[in-house]
Amino acid sequence: MQLYAQPVEAPWRPSRVATRRGVVAALARKVSTRVMQRIQYSDGISIGGRPASLWSVGEDGKELSAYRYAFSARKLALSILGWPLGSSSEVELPVEGLLQVEEPAVMSRAVVLVHGLLCSRLDMAHIAEDLCRRGFSVLAPEMDDSVSHEEGIVPGGFVGSLLAREDAEERRLQVLQEAISWLRARGANEVGLVGHSRGGVTISQLEGCFCRVNIAGFQPPQVDPEDIFRANALGPMLIICGSEDEVCTRPPLSMKYVQETVQRLRPEAESFYPSGVTHFNLLNPKVVETWRTT
């Protein structure tokens, strides 16, 4: 199921923000029907010692036919099963209308996209493209736990990952802060944060005042939820979690637990729990297809 809705105007309207267009509108606050310039793209940027993708607007550059990124089946198997099965490969995701440049100029408004555990910086590329069309620059750093490189594996699968959670999350926060500083150093005056899954946890922890969109960013009950939704992580927040989310609404979590946590710790946040939506519905469908066929 792939969800789309018409863009919404500020203030956020929870009944219509279940889609990528809703996420875009929640950050943009205003809807503009004006056609923006073409999108420039670069994957030659380094944030936190790992690759990062940058989208912005501009007319110059070479036509880009596909996004390219590494996909390590070996890391995926070792992290989940504890066995190093498979190998690494390069994945191509076809695109249209993008121009590749060395480093696009950064707009005054920018967004950082933070991917989930064992995912990649291109998971929300379609959201990045939509944000660009509304006048944002978008930066997506690769986290250490990404499936796109061999290192950063915690033996013991997800259990081991949970045990090493604090150190891993501090490293994620460092990368996120570096991404924000990188954008600000190049002219971004306003920076918003969007995170999916473990990325939702990351953007909900960073101290400071930011516009935040947390997509299915919850941890099991044995993790103190006050450590996820930290009190010094200020600013307007939109929280999205689908009713069929196989990560956040299944044991040891539940939709009741998610809703009660939001109500207790972020009662001022906009929240939406769309029916029939799974954990991966908001991700780039081309990336999801890669997972299915790899």
Side-chain angles (χ1 to χ4, degrees):
M1 179 178 181
Q2 188 174 355
L3 297 177
Y4 290 89
Q6 294 299 315
V8 298
E9 294 182 357
W12 296 337
R13 298 177 184 174
S15 63
R16 302 175 68 190
V17 294
T19 74
R20 67 183 177 97
R21 296 183 186 275
V23 172
V24 170
L27 281 161
R29 296 176 178 263
K30 286 185 178 180
V31 175
S32 173
T33 57
R34 183 167 61 92
V35 176
M36 302 300 297
Q37 294 173 286
R38 297 186 67 183
I39 299 173
Q40 294 180 328
Y41 173 77
S42 174
D43 59 3
I45 297 161
S46 177
I47 302 292
R50 299 295 312 154
S53 291
L54 176 66
W55 294 260
S56 198
V57 293
E59 295 291 343
D60 300 327
K62 180 182 178 181
E63 287 285 344
L64 182 70
S65 60
Y67 293 122
R68 292 178 177 84
Y69 75 108
F71 187 98
S72 175
R74 176 183 178 278
K75 178 171 184 175
L76 185 63
L78 183 57
S79 298
I80 297 176
L81 305 174
W83 294 94
L85 305 174
S87 59
S88 295
S89 59
E90 185 175 87
V91 176
E92 291 191 354
L93 305 176
V95 295
E96 294 181 3
L98 266 65
L99 300 171
Q100 189 161 29
V101 296
E102 184 173 345
E103 185 179 310
V106 172
M107 310 292 286
S108 62
R109 298 187 302 169
V111 175
V112 181
L113 301 181
V114 184
H115 68 73
L117 180 68
L118 294 175
C119 292
S120 84
R121 66 187 186 277
L122 294 176
D123 285 4
M124 294 179 279
H126 56 324
I127 293 177
E129 293 168 12
D130 274 1
L131 283 167
C132 277
R133 295 186 181 100
R134 297 170 187 268
F136 289 82
S137 291
V138 183
L139 183 62
E142 200 84 74
M143 295 293 172
D144 289 349
D145 55 55
S146 168
V147 75
S148 289
H149 68 110
E150 296 283 333
E151 300 176 359
I153 299 170
V154 179
F158 286 124
V159 174
S161 178
L162 189 61
L163 293 175
R165 175 184 60 84
E166 292 185 5
D167 288 342
E169 287 177 2
E170 284 306 312
R171 171 59 180 159
R172 276 177 155 263
L173 287 170
Q174 291 172 13
V175 174
L176 175 55
Q177 186 60 68
E178 183 174 332
I180 294 169
S181 298
W182 191 94
L183 288 167
R184 285 176 171 166
R186 287 159 178 79
N189 298 320
E190 301 177 38
V191 180
L193 311 176
V194 178
H196 172 259
S197 194
R198 189 68 168 268
V201 173
T202 303
I203 65 102
S204 300
Q205 292 180 327
L206 186 71
E207 64 179 66
C209 188
F210 299 93
C211 180
R212 308 169 197 253
V213 179
N214 178 331
I215 306 171
F218 294 87
Q219 295 273 33
Q222 56 263 42
V223 176
D224 187 347
E226 292 189 11
D227 189 44
I228 299 173
F229 295 96
R230 294 180 181 175
N232 55 1
L234 306 174
M237 177 177 285
L238 168 65
I239 299 173
I240 302 173
C241 184
S243 65
E244 299 302 316
D245 190 303
E246 58 271 45
V247 175
C248 297
T249 66
R250 301 292 184 269
L253 287 86
S254 67
M255 178 57 78
K256 181 180 179 182
Y257 175 80
V258 167
Q259 292 175 327
E260 289 179 348
T261 297
V262 172
Q263 184 59 37
R264 179 166 66 91
L265 298 179
R266 282 292 183 272
E268 76 287 355
E270 295 285 350
S271 58
F272 186 53
Y273 309 107
S275 176
V277 174
T278 71
H279 195 67
F280 300 103
N281 275 155
L282 275 173
L283 298 190
N284 186 335
K286 296 175 183 177
V287 171
V288 175
E289 184 62 28
T290 298
W291 279 71
R292 291 172 178 166
T293 57
T294 300

